């Protein structure tokens, strides 16, 4: 293809009709797939549940083997990712108000300076579908966050209803998809967005973020007749009917921290936990299998997106990333299932990236974090990184590149040095046990 482009440009030059815009390389496209609560340490993101994702992203691209979130819970993590900024600097530190929630997001104007806005100013089409933040609801959906050409997001209280999700398109009246499977609805929307971006006669590049709510627990809410909140309930995640019987032999790994027998020297809240019973473990293993089965539909979605990219001829000009908003723990350190702790299970997440110039099957071992994703997108799009709010640095791609990354692509910043050997993680709020034994 490169040869063809060169020949075409030569012909244009000979004809003397080379225009200025033709001499500027087209900026790359991006697809960022952000799943919900997928761990890296407990085998939920492995070959078993996601064979296509591994084949299409790991084998064709780069795996980041030490990638961590900065805040191990969804909403702060999602906002940090899109602003390239740590939670104590966004000051968006929780799921709901007063320290998080959509009202606080709006009050802090967090969508004035963030990745979609920067990309949009540079001529990108910016597309979003799936879960944005938990507190984007059937009441506050309008106005939607700014910066998106199309914003089609799940709305609370239907975000974790796997079989009847509801979405608001560009701040419009929420629409429910009764009996349809959430991940499949997100996949269909993402594919439609991809096709329409590809068909764009203006040739604008695009940034597409796809955020299925899997494999998060299912949640149901009770309200009074007048709409006041009464209570919320956690239930196990719900796989698509076609995957219900799969992976019945899958088991949780048993690391040394499994049902930790040595809790002395651990934090007081952890010492206060009883050891898990055999019944607890049986239950948690079943949750694990349900999580894996939920990832089967995500795997199909990834495969459909990549094969659509291939057939649209966009694989050579599109970077595709796969990661999760936080990790997850089950039955380690005596905990049941959940996230938000400072344990590695909750902080470490899968991170794969494929695209033009990235060596197939390569690995980056340097410590990287979600705050590095926005700077990476900016650098690959050849946009300035001078924004003061960026706490992250572009991902270290030089060693895994075939030399065709933009010349301006530099890992790190002069004031921070190239190599990071630490990670930063912070969390404010309450630790919640998500198992069915803890209805409250
Ligand atoms: C951060 O938000 C909290 C409320 O969640 C507020 O009390 C505090 O003043 C804010 N901090 C800054 C620096 O704005
Ligand atoms: C373990 O089972 C006991 C008894 O049913 C229950 O009280 C406890 O909450 C369970 N622990 C977890 C982590 O699920
Ligand atoms: Ca999450």
């Amino acid at each position: 293809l490169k040869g063809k482009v060169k020949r075409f440009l030569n012909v244009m030059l000979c004809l003397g009709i080379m225009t200025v815009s033709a001499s500027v390389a087209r900026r790359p496209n991006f697809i960022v797939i952000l799943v919900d609560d997928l761990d890296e340490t407990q085998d939920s993101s492995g070959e078993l549940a996601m064979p296509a994702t591994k084949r299409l992203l790991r084998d064709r691209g780069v795996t980041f083997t030490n990638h961590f979130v900065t805040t191990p819970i969804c909403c702060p993590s999602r906002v940090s990712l899109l602003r390239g900024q740590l939670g104590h600097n966004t000051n968006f530190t929780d799921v709901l108000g007063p320290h998080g929630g959509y009202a606080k997001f709006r009050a802090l104007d967090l969508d004035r300076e963030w990745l979609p806005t920067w990309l949009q100013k540079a001529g990108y089409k910016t597309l979003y579908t799936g879960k944005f933040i938990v507190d984007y609801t059937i009441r506050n959906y309008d106005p939607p966050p700014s910066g998106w050409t199309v914003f089609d997001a799940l709305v609370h209280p239907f975000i974790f209803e796997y079989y009847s999700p509801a979405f608001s398109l560009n701040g419009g009246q929420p629409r429910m998809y009764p009996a349809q499977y959430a991940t499949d609805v997100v996949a269909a929307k993402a594919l439609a967005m991809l096709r329409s971006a590809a068909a764009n006669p203006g040739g604008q590049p695009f940034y597409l973020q796809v955020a299925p709510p899997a494999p998060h627990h299912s949640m149901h809410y009770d309200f009074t007749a007048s709409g006041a909140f009464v209570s919320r309930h956690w239930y196990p995640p719900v796989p698509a009917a076609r995957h219900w019987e799969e992976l019945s032999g899958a088991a949780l790994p048993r690391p040394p921290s499994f049902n930790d027998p040595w809790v002395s020297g651990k934090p007081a809240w952890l010492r206060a936990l009883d050891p898990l019973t055999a019944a607890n473990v049986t239950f948690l293993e079943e949750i694990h299998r349900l999580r894996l089965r939920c990832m089967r539909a995500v795997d199909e979605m990834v495969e459909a997106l990549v094969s659509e990219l291939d057939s649209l001829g966009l694989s050579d000009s599109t970077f595709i990333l796969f990661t999760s908003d936080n990790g997850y723990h089950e039955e380690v350190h005596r905990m049941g299932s959940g996230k938000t702790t400072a344990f590695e299970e909750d902080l470490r997440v899968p991170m794969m990236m494929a695209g033009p110039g990235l060596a197939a099957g390569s690995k980056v071992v340097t410590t990287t974090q979600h705050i590095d994703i926005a700077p990476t997108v900016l650098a690959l799009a050849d946009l300035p990184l001078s924004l003061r709010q960026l706490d992250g640095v572009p991902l270290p791609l030089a060693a895994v590149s075939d030399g065709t990354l933009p010349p301006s692509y530099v890992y790190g910043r002069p004031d921070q040095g190239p190599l990071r050997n630490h990670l930063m993680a912070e969390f404010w709020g309450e630790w919640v046990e998500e198992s069915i034994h803890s209805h409250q």
Side-chain angles (χ1 to χ4, degrees):
L1 182 71
K2 251 179 238 148
K4 265 190 209 154
V5 170
K6 221 181 241 167
R7 269 199 302 282
F8 172 73
L9 291 180
N10 282 339
V11 170
M12 299 293 274
L13 279 170
C14 292
L15 293 174
I17 51 170
M18 182 82 177
T19 62
V20 175
S21 66
S23 68
V24 176
R26 194 176 182 276
R27 298 188 202 276
N29 308 309
F30 298 91
I31 299 181
V32 173
I33 300 168
L34 181 66
V35 298
D36 199 348
D37 286 9
L38 183 65
D39 63 82
E40 175 73 3
T41 60
Q42 301 208 277
D43 287 356
S44 306
S45 53
E47 207 87 46
L48 204 55
M50 300 201 300
T53 305
K54 295 289 170 175
R55 177 166 45 80
L56 296 170
L57 301 185
R58 178 193 65 191
D59 297 354
R60 280 194 189 187
V62 192
T63 301
F64 296 81
T65 59
N66 288 296
H67 189 81
F68 299 88
V69 300
T70 50
T71 303
I73 194 163
C74 73
C75 311
S77 181
R78 284 159 192 255
V79 170
S80 283
L81 188 156
L82 284 169
R83 286 180 56 92
Q85 194 178 30
L86 293 162
H88 65 264
N89 289 331
T90 62
N91 200 20
F92 188 82
T93 55
D94 204 354
V95 177
L96 303 175
H99 307 300
Y102 195 53
K104 180 161 185 187
F105 179 90
R106 296 228 64 89
L108 290 172
D109 244 354
L110 292 173
D111 53 352
R112 201 158 48 89
E113 293 287 345
W114 66 342
L115 189 59
T117 323
W118 301 325
L119 291 174
Q120 219 175 29
K121 277 190 201 136
Y124 272 78
K125 235 181 177 199
T126 51
L127 311 160
Y128 196 99
T129 187
K131 171 179 162 187
F132 170 47
I133 58 175
V134 174
D135 188 43
Y136 186 63
T137 77
I138 53 167
R139 297 216 176 117
N140 66 16
Y141 56 86
D142 190 27
S146 55
W148 301 101
T149 317
V150 182
F151 184 79
D152 199 356
L154 283 157
V155 283
H156 170 86
F158 304 104
I159 293 178
F160 304 116
E161 294 286 354
Y162 277 90
Y163 263 103
S164 279
F167 292 73
S168 164
L169 170 62
N170 297 329
Q173 181 80 29
R175 177 176 164 206
M176 187 173 258
Y177 294 71
Q180 296 193 42
Y181 190 63
T183 303
D184 295 345
V185 178
V186 170
K189 287 176 182 291
L191 283 166
M193 286 175 169
L194 180 55
R195 286 184 202 118
S196 86
N200 179 0
Q204 276 173 288
F206 64 85
Y207 174 95
L208 167 61
Q209 188 157 329
V210 184
H216 193 286
H217 266 57
S218 180
M219 291 183 88
H220 304 302
Y221 299 80
D222 297 332
F223 301 93
T224 62
S226 58
F229 172 78
V230 177
S231 60
R232 64 170 191 198
H233 309 279
W234 296 85
Y235 290 96
V238 182
R242 63 187 180 279
H243 298 131
W244 194 264
E245 305 291 329
E246 290 184 22
L247 304 172
S248 50
L252 273 166
R254 302 267 165 118
S257 58
F258 167 73
N259 207 4
D260 198 349
W262 300 286
V263 290
S264 67
K266 300 276 165 67
W269 63 269
L270 209 121
R271 289 201 309 271
L273 299 178
D274 292 326
L276 299 172
T277 62
N280 288 149
V281 172
T282 304
F283 177 78
L284 291 165
E285 293 252 303
E286 191 51 39
I287 299 263
H288 176 63
R289 286 188 281 275
L290 292 168
R291 285 165 51 77
L292 293 179
R293 291 170 188 148
C294 284
M295 292 315 293
R296 299 290 304 118
V298 174
D299 195 54
E300 293 172 355
M301 181 192 85
V302 172
E303 184 164 30
L305 283 169
V306 174
S307 75
E308 190 66 27
L309 261 189
D310 286 349
S311 56
L312 291 167
L314 292 176
S315 299
D316 289 349
S317 55
T318 305
F319 290 96
I320 173 158
L321 276 81
F322 178 96
T323 191
S324 173
D325 63 349
N326 51 259
Y328 207 71
H329 63 252
E330 277 199 285
E331 66 179 28
V332 285
H333 313 289
R334 291 194 183 179
M335 297 184 292
S337 45
K339 55 244 182 194
T340 72
T341 77
F343 287 113
E344 182 176 358
E345 286 82 3
D346 294 355
L347 297 177
R348 188 185 277 280
V349 287
M351 168 75 171
M352 290 169 274
M353 179 174 182
L358 300 180
S362 54
K363 277 184 185 163
V364 165
V365 298
T366 306
T367 304
T368 55
Q369 298 210 252
H370 271 11
I371 48 169
D372 300 333
I373 292 174
T376 301
V377 170
L378 290 174
L380 290 172
D382 215 357
L383 295 171
L385 281 166
S386 49
L387 300 142
R388 287 195 50 190
Q389 86 182 42
L390 294 176
D391 290 322
V393 292
L395 293 162
L397 296 179
V400 291
S401 125
D402 64 6
T404 59
L405 290 178
S408 57
Y409 192 97
V410 182
Y411 169 50
R413 287 199 307 218
D415 58 329
Q416 297 194 355
L419 277 178
R420 186 196 279 141
N421 57 9
H422 65 275
L423 70 92
M424 165 71 194
E426 45 188 337
F427 174 70
W428 298 258
E430 277 173 53
W431 168 70
V432 179
E433 189 64 80
E434 297 184 359
S435 90
I436 202 163
H437 300 298
S438 67
H439 278 184
Q440 37 182 248

